[in-house]
Amino acid sequence: MSIFSYNGAAVVAMAGKECVAIGSDLRFGVQTQTITCDTPKVFRIHDKLYLGLSGLLTDAQTLHEKLMFRHNLYKLREERDMKPSTFGHMLSNALYERRFGPYFAAPVVAGLEPDGTPFLCGMDTIGAMEKAKDFMITGTSPESLYGMCESMWRPDMEPDELFETVAQCLMSGFDRDALAGWGAVIHVITKDKVISRTLKTRMD
Amino acid sequence: LGTSIIALTFDGGVILGADSRTSTGNYIANRASDKITPLCDNVYTLRSGSASDTQAIAGYVQHFIAQHQAEEGDQVTVKTVANLVKMMAYNNKDFMQAGLIVAGFDKHGGGQVYSISLGGTVTATPFAMSGSGSTYINGFCDKYWRENMSEQDAMEFITRALRYAMTWDASSGGCIRTVTITAAGVKRQFIQGSQIPPTYGELPRQQVVA
C-alpha cells in the first residue's frame, strides 16, 4: 500500500476575480478505517494565505507546524506577513532540503498577493513548484478532481460563484474516492475577509 | 470486494442486506453494484471478498442447482444450496478469496441463513454478517439483534446496521439493497444514498477551524 494513500485526502484550490478559494475533505482514517470526520487538510498561515496538504497526515501536520514557526520568525524580523509567492518558494526549499528522506506530503498554496492578485501554486513531495492561474489540486484521487475542475472552472468568478464551483468539484471528486470525504470545509479569501463554510456531504 | 453484508431470519422468512460499493484500490469502480445474487427462486447469496471469485462460484452453483431442481421436481432446500457453495469454496480453497452468506426460505425449515467463510466452513445461524464493514458493527448487532423480529423491525435493524458500517468502513458505501424472501416469494428493495440519514447528521457540529 502506498504511503500517500495511508490516510487519504482531497484538496482543491481555485482562483477567481480578486479572490481565491481553497477547500478540503474532513476525513481522518487509517487505511480503510475511518476515525474522525472533523480533520481539515487546509491550514491558515495568515489572513491572506492558506496552505492545503495531502498525503501522510503526520507529515502534513509537522510540515504545517514547521512552516508556522518559520513564518512567525519572518513576521518578527520583517514586521509584516509573508507574501504568498515568497511562502511558496520557501516551502519548495524546505521540501527539497529533505530530498533523500522527504516529507510524504503534497502541498497546495492559495492566497492573495499584497496588490490583490490571486496566487496559486502546487508542489510534489520534494518541492517541484508549479504556479497556476486557474486551479490546483492534490489528494488520493487526482484524476477525479482534475476532471471536475477542468470542466467547471471559468475565469473571473465572483466569491459566491467560486465557492459553489469549488464545493461541487470537491464533492463530486471525492464521492468516487473511498479514502476521502465525510464532510468538507471551504475557505473563500477576499481582500477584506475570509468566509469559511463547512459542508454536509455523504458520510460513506 | 470491501463490503458490508448482513442476513437475518425473522418471523416468516429471511432478509438479506448489502451495501453497493466496489472499489479497485481507492477508486470506486462501481457505486451502485448489486451484491445480492439469486442462486435459485427461493435462495439468494450475499457476496464478499474477491468479486471475480464470488461471481464464478455463483455461476457454477446456479448451473448445478438448476439441474438439481429439475431432478427434484420440487423447491430445493436452502441447506442443499449452502452445501454446494461450501463444496466450491472448500475444494478450491487454495485459489479463492470468497466469503459468502447463503440465505433463503423453504417449506421444511422456514427461513435459514448459512455463512460460508474463507476455508469453506459452513455455520448455520439465525443472523450472519460478513465483509470488511461488518467488524465495525459487531457491538451494535450484539446489542440490538433479537430473535423472531417482525419484518419491519428486521428491516429497520438491517438498514441501521448497514448505515453505520458504511460510515466507518471506507470500502463500503453507496446505497443499501435488500432482498426479503418469504413463503409468498421474493421482494427487492433499494434505499438511495440520499435517503440514508447521515451518521453524525443529527449532532450539532463545532465550527471547523483551519
Side-chain angles (χ1 to χ4, degrees):
Chain A
M1 155 144 292
S2 163
I3 192 83
F4 290 101
S5 41
Y6 186 73
N7 292 127
V11 176
V12 172
M14 282 192 178
K17 196 178 170 79
E18 286 164 14
C19 57
V20 280
I22 182 166
S24 78
D25 71 313
L26 291 175
R27 177 181 182 264
F28 169 53
V30 170
Q31 297 189 314
T32 53
Q33 179 177 10
T34 306
I35 299 178
T36 73
C37 321
D38 58 8
T39 312
K41 323 289 182 307
V42 186
F43 307 99
R44 176 188 169 276
I45 308 293
H46 61 75
D47 273 337
K48 299 237 167 52
L49 177 54
Y50 277 66
L51 170 69
L53 286 160
S54 75
L56 195 62
L57 193 62
T58 177
D59 280 355
Q61 287 179 347
T62 302
L63 203 51
H64 163 58
E65 284 165 18
K66 281 185 174 262
L67 290 164
M68 280 308 293
F69 172 75
R70 286 174 78 156
H71 182 248
N72 286 338
L73 275 180
Y74 184 92
K75 270 201 312 198
L76 289 170
R77 291 177 184 138
E78 297 273 325
E79 293 174 17
R80 64 179 175 87
D81 284 328
M82 203 187 271
K83 281 196 293 195
S85 45
T86 313
F87 185 84
H89 284 104
M90 178 185 81
L91 175 52
S92 168
N93 182 261
L95 290 172
Y96 198 79
E97 261 183 338
R98 291 272 167 265
R99 171 65 177 82
F100 298 107
Y103 290 110
F104 296 116
V108 165
V109 178
L112 289 176
E113 294 282 290
D115 62 0
T117 44
F119 177 82
L120 281 181
C121 80
M123 266 161 257
D124 68 355
T125 187
I126 42 177
M129 187 167 94
E130 277 299 330
K131 298 190 201 133
K133 292 206 169 9
D134 41 15
F135 56 84
M136 257 301 159
I137 61 113
T138 178
T140 38
S141 58
E143 300 91 352
S144 302
L145 295 170
Y146 276 128
M148 287 306 301
C149 291
E150 272 309 341
S151 336
M152 297 190 69
W153 186 83
R154 285 182 334 277
D156 289 328
M157 282 189 276
E158 296 295 328
D160 286 333
E161 225 187 322
L162 189 64
F163 164 74
E164 271 307 319
T165 312
V166 172
Q168 292 303 320
C169 290
L170 196 51
M171 282 172 56
S172 297
F174 68 52
D175 274 347
R176 274 282 178 178
D177 183 359
L179 299 177
W182 282 262
V185 66
I186 300 180
H187 308 280
V188 183
I189 307 158
T190 53
K191 72 175 182 354
D192 24 60
K193 56 184 191 280
V194 175
I195 310 170
S196 304
R197 296 180 181 93
T198 312
L199 305 179
K200 273 192 167 177
T201 66
R202 303 176 61 107
M203 304 290 267
D204 62 4
Chain B
L1 265 191
T3 287
S4 310
I5 51 177
I6 298 189
L8 57 80
T9 53
F10 67 93
D11 184 24
V14 290
I15 306 189
L16 297 85
D19 74 305
S20 69
R21 179 173 289 185
T22 314
S23 32
T24 39
N26 60 295
Y27 177 65
I28 300 168
N30 190 348
R31 61 189 176 110
S33 46
D34 185 5
K35 303 181 185 178
I36 314 181
T37 315
L39 296 176
C40 62
D41 288 336
N42 55 318
V43 182
Y44 275 61
T45 185
L46 292 156
R47 303 180 289 112
S48 77
S50 155
S52 48
D53 286 348
T54 54
Q55 283 171 2
I57 294 180
Y60 276 112
V61 173
Q62 280 166 350
H63 170 72
F64 291 125
I65 286 297
Q67 278 183 339
H68 182 70
Q69 170 105 55
E71 289 164 4
E72 282 282 304
D74 197 7
Q75 240 189 15
V76 177
T77 56
V78 188
K79 191 158 190 179
T80 309
V81 184
N83 231 359
L84 202 48
V85 177
K86 176 211 79 188
M87 279 174 63
M88 299 268 131
Y90 179 70
N91 291 332
N92 298 295
K93 65 160 80 181
D94 292 340
F95 312 110
M96 296 253 217
Q97 251 191 7
L100 296 117
I101 299 178
V102 177
F105 183 92
D106 62 42
K107 56 185 188 239
H108 306 289
Q112 295 149 73
V113 170
Y114 295 88
S115 178
I116 296 138
S117 49
L118 245 47
T121 319
V122 193
T123 338
T125 43
F127 155 73
M129 53 179 186
S130 183
S132 53
S134 65
T135 54
Y136 300 100
I137 48 175
N138 277 124
F140 171 82
C141 291
D142 279 344
K143 181 166 171 143
Y144 286 100
W145 179 77
R146 295 177 327 267
E147 207 151 7
N148 281 332
M149 286 189 265
S150 67
E151 184 176 335
Q152 197 190 12
D153 283 348
M155 189 59 102
E156 260 180 53
F157 171 79
I158 281 204
T159 43
R160 215 173 141 201
L162 282 175
R163 176 187 144 206
Y164 292 138
M166 283 158 59
T167 300
W168 298 118
D169 183 26
S171 38
S172 304
C175 45
I176 297 179
R177 292 190 193 272
T178 60
V179 167
T180 313
I181 313 177
T182 54
V186 170
K187 187 169 64 175
R188 253 193 190 278
Q189 271 168 306
F190 168 74
I191 302 167
Q192 264 181 351
S194 50
Q195 287 166 355
I196 303 172
T199 308
Y200 291 141
E202 65 276 12
L203 294 177
R205 284 258 220 153
Q206 276 185 328
Q207 175 68 36
V208 175
V209 277

